[in-house]
Amino acid sequence: MKRLVFLMRKLMVLVLALAFSLLAASAFADTATYTFDSLYATCEISEDYIILTPDNLSRHSEWLARQQKEISALEADFAARGVLVQAWDAEGDRCIEITAVEDEMAQRLFDIDQQTTATRRSYRLGHSGGTMYTEQGYTIKDAEWKSGTGRGRFLFLKYNCNARNQKGYMYRTIRNGYTITLDCQVYGRSLATADQRALDKILTSWKFTTTLDKPANAVPMLLFTSEPPLETNTGSFTVEGTGDPGLTIIGVVLSTADPDPIRIEETVKNSGSFKLKVNLPQEGSWLMTLTVLNGDVVTEEVIFNTTKYQKSLLPVNFDDEVPLAFTSDTYTLSGTTMGQTDVQCLVEGPNNFEKKVKTNNSASFSFKLPTDKEGTYKVVLVFEKKKYNTRRFEFEVTRTLSEDEKRAHIREDAVKPAYSTLNDKLDGYTGRTMGYSLHVMSVEPSGNEWISFMAMRKTSSGSYRDVVVVMSPDQPTYQPGEQVKVYCTCTGAYEVTDEDNKVTEYPSFDLLFWEED
């Protein structure tokens, strides 16, 4: 009896050991290891994803077609942005993308972990509070460092990107001469905790197999928090910023009206900050240049825009040059002038805008312009202050929406009234943009159009309820029996006459676009 118990216990141990080994095997079997030779890095990605790489796009042609993505366009996009891997959910609403580029910042810093605290702080603030990626349409909400054994520091970012119709989380670092980004992109819905967990899982597996030493010439560029103004009526200003401690900065200010240049020298402090004070001796146009030295080696040369010094001038300095094209749904037009100045902003175009403010002692002004509609915007700024001549600035800026941006606006504008409400108030909804999850009943040609009968509900027995009609000029690629998300414009009622001449009316829509539900 004791031997039987012993054998049963031994058998149980063997069964548990086997079960554990199978669980362990399954835990590792659902991930694949990816090696990036040029980065000296590896990571693991779940095989549950649809994995796209520059070399395998043709193997996913059917899935890409359903996502309305062209292989040739993706190949060009991957090459331009340094895409190594994209891991897509089957639904197509989330993509974890890994990119690596040898951009200017990576060439200058080479390895963020081998840089000073001040440089890392400047790099972080350039994301969260600066304008590093605003031209690409990104609005970064959070930026903080996260470290891990074998991978070093990654900057964690939460962002929106209207230009690409996405929002998401990023991990970004500079290592071995590359800017490396792990980007969890979400489309058509809000961010969820599960999105960050999915990205964290890949980051946790990330390892650098080799860390190259920073070259001697890998010195970060100066980051400026204050530059010479385009206009001044005092002749005094400061140039401030951050850089590597110990760097020597030599400033030279020149004017065609004065043969003697002004020379200013400053050393970056241990805190990583520097400040050069400039006092212009007379009115005129002045040009300032900076030379940066690391010992005897010139690491950087900077030429600023010309500064106009005129005592009677009402100065106006914009924070950023007004672009020729808006790239996001809003644009902030801001800058500085003199305190107690009336500033009026007038905009004519797809979105009209008018606002007047008076500057306080900070002398700053700011206008947030709505620019979400396509077209040409004529922007006028007028500055008025007693004892000074009125200044007037005019700009003409265009806004062109990408196909993704147009669809994003349609999703935002779409309404989804209940079927009974839609029927009762059909006249009021005519012309409105709608977004419904619909079951495809049939797709048939009718003259130069295609008619799709769809239903809002499908019962467990397979019967369809709450039928609508969707019209499209081209044959849609969805099939009867599928459930799809349809965005369309309500056109009123569609009449159907049966064999007994009985007329039934259904809500009717013109198709704008559709996507998998």
Side-chain angles (χ1 to χ4, degrees):
M1 184 66 179
K2 289 181 179 180
R3 179 168 177 77
L4 180 60
V5 171
F6 172 77
L7 289 173
M8 290 183 67
R9 286 177 177 172
K10 187 174 182 180
L11 180 60
M12 182 65 70
V13 170
L14 290 173
V15 170
L16 289 173
L18 178 61
F20 177 78
S21 65
L22 289 174
L23 284 172
S26 66
F28 288 102
D30 64 353
T31 63
T33 300
Y34 290 81
T35 301
F36 310 110
D37 292 335
S38 58
L39 309 182
Y40 299 93
T42 66
C43 76
E44 294 180 357
I45 303 176
S46 170
E47 293 182 339
D48 292 337
Y49 292 110
I50 296 169
I51 302 295
L52 304 181
T53 70
D55 300 324
N56 75 355
L57 295 177
S58 60
R59 296 205 296 270
H60 297 281
S61 57
E62 292 185 5
W63 185 83
L64 291 171
R66 290 198 300 272
Q67 303 300 318
Q68 302 179 32
K69 297 179 184 292
E70 295 183 0
I71 291 178
S72 59
L74 275 180
E75 288 174 337
D77 178 60
F78 278 25
R81 297 191 299 111
V83 177
L84 302 176
V85 176
Q86 284 188 345
W88 285 88
D89 282 2
E91 295 80 7
D93 65 347
R94 183 175 73 193
C95 170
I96 298 179
E97 178 181 85
I98 301 175
T99 62
V101 292
E102 293 180 289
D103 57 9
E104 183 179 2
M105 189 68 74
Q107 293 173 17
R108 299 288 307 203
L109 300 183
F110 193 79
D111 188 324
I112 199 67
D113 275 2
Q114 298 180 47
Q115 294 294 341
T116 65
T117 301
T119 297
R120 286 195 293 270
R121 180 176 182 274
S122 296
Y123 183 74
R124 178 178 64 82
L125 294 178
H127 285 78
S128 62
T131 58
M132 280 176 121
Y133 297 94
T134 53
E135 290 184 359
Q136 301 172 30
Y138 284 87
T139 301
I140 296 175
K141 299 180 178 180
D142 299 308
E144 58 180 286
W145 291 110
K146 292 194 176 182
S147 301
T149 304
R151 65 174 182 269
R153 291 179 178 84
F154 273 78
L155 192 61
F156 175 68
L157 308 168
K158 182 179 180 182
Y159 71 87
N160 286 335
C161 184
N162 292 327
R164 297 177 64 85
N165 183 34
Q166 71 188 50
K167 60 193 71 171
Y169 302 103
M170 277 187 195
Y171 285 107
R172 174 170 286 159
T173 192
I174 295 178
R175 177 68 66 92
N176 294 334
Y178 286 85
T179 294
I180 302 166
T181 304
L182 283 61
D183 184 3
C184 180
Q185 307 165 358
V186 171
Y187 300 87
R189 62 172 175 81
S190 300
L191 288 173
T193 304
D195 299 320
Q196 185 177 343
R197 284 201 301 264
L199 183 62
D200 286 347
K201 190 172 183 180
I202 295 177
L203 177 74
T204 302
S205 73
W206 188 277
K207 289 181 175 57
F208 287 102
T209 58
T210 300
T211 300
L212 303 178
D213 291 334
K214 182 183 73 170
N217 61 352
V219 176
M221 296 177 66
L222 300 181
L223 296 177
F224 297 97
T225 57
S226 177
E227 297 184 8
L230 294 177
E231 300 178 344
T232 177
N233 59 9
T234 65
S236 298
F237 58 86
T238 60
V239 176
E240 302 179 54
T242 59
D244 254 16
L247 291 178
T248 300
I249 304 172
I250 300 174
V252 177
V253 189
L254 303 164
S255 173
T256 55
D258 193 329
D260 298 322
I262 303 170
R263 189 178 188 278
I264 310 165
E265 185 170 327
E266 175 74 6
T267 301
V268 180
K269 297 181 176 63
N270 290 334
S271 63
S273 64
F274 67 87
K275 179 186 291 188
L276 289 84
K277 296 182 179 180
V278 179
N279 292 297
L280 302 178
Q282 62 185 42
E283 293 180 307
S285 295
W286 295 83
L287 177 67
M288 184 173 185
T289 66
L290 293 183
T291 302
V292 184
L293 299 172
N294 184 11
D296 295 329
V297 179
V298 175
T299 62
E300 185 179 356
E301 293 180 309
V302 182
I303 301 176
F304 295 107
N305 290 321
T306 301
T307 297
K308 180 181 179 181
Y309 174 26
Q310 183 180 327
K311 294 179 181 179
S312 61
L313 181 69
L314 175 58
V316 176
N317 292 286
F318 296 99
D319 290 337
D320 297 294
E321 184 178 353
V322 179
L324 295 176
F326 293 131
T327 58
S328 60
D329 290 348
T330 60
Y331 179 79
T332 300
L333 182 56
S334 60
T336 57
T337 179
M338 297 181 69
Q340 306 305 309
T341 300
D342 291 320
V343 187
Q344 185 176 23
C345 180
L346 301 167
V347 179
E348 291 183 0
N351 290 314
N352 292 327
F353 178 89
E354 182 175 354
K355 188 175 182 180
K356 188 173 184 178
V357 299
K358 182 184 286 287
T359 60
N360 55 22
N361 292 334
S362 70
S364 62
F365 61 89
S366 180
F367 300 98
K368 189 173 183 179
L369 310 182
T371 57
D372 59 318
K373 297 179 181 178
E374 274 193 316
T376 300
Y377 292 78
K378 294 182 179 179
V379 183
V380 178
L381 281 172
V382 180
F383 297 80
E384 295 179 308
K385 183 177 173 65
K386 290 182 179 180
K387 299 182 180 179
Y388 290 90
N389 291 331
T390 298
R391 303 287 303 278
R392 181 185 177 91
F393 296 84
E394 296 185 9
F395 308 96
E396 190 168 288
V397 189
T398 60
R399 172 76 162 116
T400 302
L401 297 176
S402 67
E403 194 62 33
D404 284 343
E405 287 175 313
K406 291 178 182 178
R407 292 190 173 193
H409 289 165
I410 290 172
R411 292 187 187 98
E412 292 173 2
D413 294 340
V415 296
K416 190 177 68 173
Y419 191 75
S420 58
T421 305
L422 177 63
N423 273 307
D424 292 343
K425 302 179 179 180
L426 191 58
D427 289 342
Y429 282 114
T430 299
R432 295 285 300 277
T433 301
M434 305 280 184
Y436 284 108
S437 177
L438 300 175
H439 300 272
V440 182
M441 298 166 56
S442 65
V443 182
E444 303 170 355
S446 177
N448 296 324
E449 293 184 303
W450 287 80
I451 301 177
S452 300
F453 281 85
M454 298 184 169
M456 293 186 185
R457 294 189 296 130
K458 184 178 180 180
T459 66
S460 58
S461 63
S463 299
Y464 292 106
R465 299 285 187 272
D466 301 342
V467 175
V468 299
V469 176
V470 178
M471 313 289 290
S472 58
D474 302 313
Q475 181 179 4
T477 55
Y478 49 67
Q479 300 296 323
E482 293 182 341
Q483 185 174 5
V484 295
K485 189 65 177 287
V486 174
Y487 292 92
C488 44
T489 303
C490 182
T491 56
Y494 184 88
E495 294 183 352
V496 176
T497 304
D498 63 14
E499 296 176 351
D500 298 326
N501 290 324
K502 180 182 177 182
V503 177
T504 304
E505 291 186 344
Y506 299 106
S508 176
F509 305 103
D510 281 344
L511 180 65
L512 298 174
F513 68 94
W514 68 276
E515 53 198 16
E516 291 187 348
D517 196 2

